[in-house]
Amino acid sequence: MSRLHATHGPQAAIRDQHGAQVLLRGVNVNQLGEYFQADPSLPPTVPLTKDDFHDIAKLGFNSVRLIVSWSRLEPTPGAYNTAYVGQVRQAVRWAAAYDLYVVLDMHQDAYGVAVDTPQNVTCPDGTTPNNGWDGAPAWATITDGASTCRPGERELAPAVTHAWQHFWDNTDGIQTHLVDTWGRLAHDFAKARNVAGFDLLNEPGFGLDASANGTTDLGAFYARAIDAIRAGETAGGGFHHVVFWEPSVLWSALGSNPVPAPGFTTDKNLVFSPHIYAESLSSNSIPGGFASAHKVARQHGVTVWGGEWGFWPEHPVDASRQIGRYAAAEDAARYGGAWWDWKQACGDPHVNQPGGQPSAVSGSLNRFTCPDQVMSAPDPAFADVLSRPAPRAVPGTITRLTSDGRTGRLVLAGRDTSDAGRCALRVFVPKRFADQPVLVTGIDHVRRSRELGNVVLRGCVADRFELRIG
């Protein structure tokens, strides 16, 4: 597989080593994460197998955002869990077998596993017990004895905000531990060509000073982590992978500030990776969510990759409309992204709230009825849009993209003024649209190949070109 990098400036994009623009369209995989287990009879994850990657590729995705947990990587201070890294390495190899890129995501929710409300604690009026979640190990969770009861969202529990403040303050060197862990992980995957890059920290939380935590404090941590990653890659004899950086969790909730200011690092191999949960977890509109992401990216001179997005309304008809509008906005912006998520077990904290009573259905692409955990295939209302025709690699720059997963119609236009890599065009067409007519302008040597029953179109482009399906 071609290794990837990010370009910087007005034409910022993710590109392969031939210079072709690459859209990473994928799905989150949380099956290697360590989550708090509220019910001993309900595991919080389901096992990850090679078949998962086969099925992901068969749907037409070309990437996965693979969750890894700091609590498993460093179970005790200074330790490095090579057995767990071996599981991650195996997953990366499985992904490579199906030409899937992997973004390694240092995942957390509500700081870590050790912020749960003990069963013998009665929360005051106006508050509710908090789940334990995922991310930081217990030894790196300093709460000052603050209450774990939450007056609303999980991030508002005092124990969570105190833990985050100690992380930003680097109390007892806990932030340094995560920085060092990133250096070790980057060393181990320094040569992995199908590792698209490293997502520094999922939805960073806030402590006692949300403004500083989400701007200067977050930028300083990112700079340290990037330096450690680059040192690890160099020591590992590899190459510099893309670094995906996220805004504060408050941005994900509100679709706006805070974010680190431009210049928090001199590294240019960067991609802004917000979670555009517009009209889903956020009240922001879909156009507003994309406009906010574009504004930050333009200020930083980078492109955008939506690390998480998804819809879980009670009425599937509404969900179908929303996902279609989101997909249209994603295509218009020429961005990639990753759906949340692939398989969410009945014991996952998102599904199983305090008290151990899970929701009736888990909210993942492969849905489980709970608590018996019987899986059903992806709903076509979601899967048809997610597996729509899509460019995978485009020489030069994409100037127009529209795609419809229900009709199979695709319009792809671009321009290429370079002399190299003109034959790198690759376009995915789902099996159900394999017989649709293909019309090209400025593209020759068009050929088809079969991949898991689907079709991939290849060709060589002129200075300006267009491809239409349907």
Side-chain angles (χ1 to χ4, degrees):
M1 296 179 65
S2 181
R3 69 190 195 188
L4 303 181
H5 66 281
T7 55
H8 188 268
Q11 299 298 321
I14 298 174
R15 298 189 178 275
D16 66 18
Q17 63 195 68
H18 305 293
Q21 185 174 351
V22 173
L23 292 187
L24 296 175
R25 297 279 173 85
V27 63
N28 281 267
V29 173
N30 74 347
Q31 290 153 259
L32 294 185
E34 181 173 40
Y35 288 86
F36 177 81
Q37 186 169 357
D39 186 335
S41 67
L42 292 177
T45 59
V46 295
L48 182 65
T49 71
K50 189 175 182 178
D51 286 344
D52 284 302
F53 295 94
H54 170 275
D55 295 344
I56 289 168
K58 190 173 182 179
L59 272 175
F61 294 121
N62 66 344
S63 60
V64 298
R65 181 173 180 252
L66 183 65
I67 287 169
V68 297
S69 293
W70 179 19
S71 58
R72 278 192 173 156
L73 287 165
E74 193 179 10
T76 58
Y80 187 59
N81 187 348
T82 56
Y84 180 57
V85 175
Q87 295 177 32
V88 178
R89 196 186 301 278
Q90 182 182 60
V92 170
R93 287 197 299 266
W94 283 339
Y98 296 105
D99 291 330
L100 292 167
Y101 286 104
V102 176
V103 175
L104 293 179
D105 160 45
M106 194 68 71
H107 206 79
Q108 70 79 35
D109 294 292
Y111 193 76
V113 294
V115 295
D116 60 299
T117 302
Q119 291 186 359
N120 61 350
V121 169
T122 300
C123 289
D125 290 344
T127 66
T128 55
N130 203 15
N131 256 352
W133 286 90
D134 60 286
W139 61 262
T141 306
I142 305 172
T143 66
D144 303 320
S147 172
T148 58
C149 299
R150 55 187 178 93
E153 295 297 328
R154 61 193 180 188
E155 286 84 5
L156 297 177
V160 174
T161 57
H162 278 248
W164 273 114
Q165 191 60 52
H166 283 292
F167 179 83
W168 299 126
D169 293 342
N170 198 22
T171 303
D172 296 338
I174 55 175
Q175 184 185 121
T176 299
H177 276 280
L178 181 55
V179 168
D180 292 344
T181 296
W182 257 127
R184 289 172 162 182
L185 195 64
H187 176 277
D188 283 345
F189 292 93
K191 298 178 182 179
R193 299 172 73 87
N194 76 307
V195 171
F198 307 116
D199 189 335
L200 297 177
L201 189 60
N202 180 72
E203 297 183 358
F206 54 89
L208 305 180
D209 187 346
S211 177
N213 299 155
T215 53
T216 54
D217 292 342
L218 183 57
F221 164 67
Y222 281 167
R224 299 182 69 204
I226 292 168
D227 286 348
I229 286 169
R230 298 308 184 216
E233 290 169 327
T234 299
F239 60 94
H240 286 192
H241 295 71
V242 179
V243 167
F244 297 83
W245 64 274
E246 302 188 24
S248 162
V249 68
L250 292 173
W251 194 102
S252 298
L254 305 174
S256 59
N257 290 330
V259 294
F264 67 83
T265 176
T266 58
D267 200 292
K268 303 299 183 185
N269 195 6
L270 305 177
V271 167
F272 180 50
S273 186
H275 297 173
I276 308 175
Y277 278 118
E279 302 182 26
S280 176
L281 298 180
S282 168
S283 59
N284 201 3
S285 69
I286 290 172
F290 276 86
S292 295
H294 179 72
K295 179 180 179 180
V296 173
R298 187 175 65 250
Q299 291 171 342
H300 287 261
V302 298
T303 191
V304 171
W305 185 69
E308 290 182 20
W309 68 284
F311 295 94
W312 314 271
E314 295 180 4
H315 306 292
V317 173
D318 292 339
S320 178
R321 295 191 186 112
Q322 287 173 312
I323 187 177
R325 290 192 295 108
Y326 186 101
E330 186 181 57
D331 287 343
R334 282 90 75 188
Y335 292 159
W339 179 266
W340 183 269
D341 72 335
W342 181 242
K343 290 180 178 178
Q344 195 156 270
C346 294
D348 185 297
H350 294 88
V351 182
N352 198 352
Q353 296 300 312
Q357 182 61 42
S359 303
V361 180
S362 69
S364 51
L365 188 58
N366 293 277
R367 298 192 174 194
F368 294 91
T369 56
C370 299
D372 53 332
Q373 197 146 288
V374 175
M375 191 182 79
S376 59
D379 187 332
F382 298 92
D384 284 356
V385 176
L386 293 171
S387 66
R388 64 195 184 277
R392 289 183 171 172
V394 180
T397 301
I398 301 170
T399 57
R400 182 187 178 193
L401 174 61
T402 62
S403 180
D404 191 318
R406 299 188 177 93
T407 66
R409 293 175 181 170
L410 169 75
V411 177
L412 168 66
R415 63 176 181 271
D416 183 18
T417 58
S418 66
D419 295 325
R422 286 183 177 265
C423 294
L425 179 67
R426 298 196 308 280
V427 178
F428 166 78
V429 183
K431 178 182 179 180
R432 62 190 184 278
F433 302 127
D435 295 329
Q436 291 271 30
V438 177
L439 303 175
V440 297
T441 303
I443 304 174
D444 57 18
H445 302 292
V446 177
R447 57 200 185 279
R448 297 168 176 255
S449 61
R450 289 279 181 176
E451 293 184 6
L452 301 176
N454 302 305
V455 170
V456 175
L457 301 174
R458 289 173 167 81
C460 304
V461 306
D463 290 354
R464 294 185 180 274
F465 55 92
E466 183 176 278
L467 183 149
R468 290 176 177 264
I469 300 174

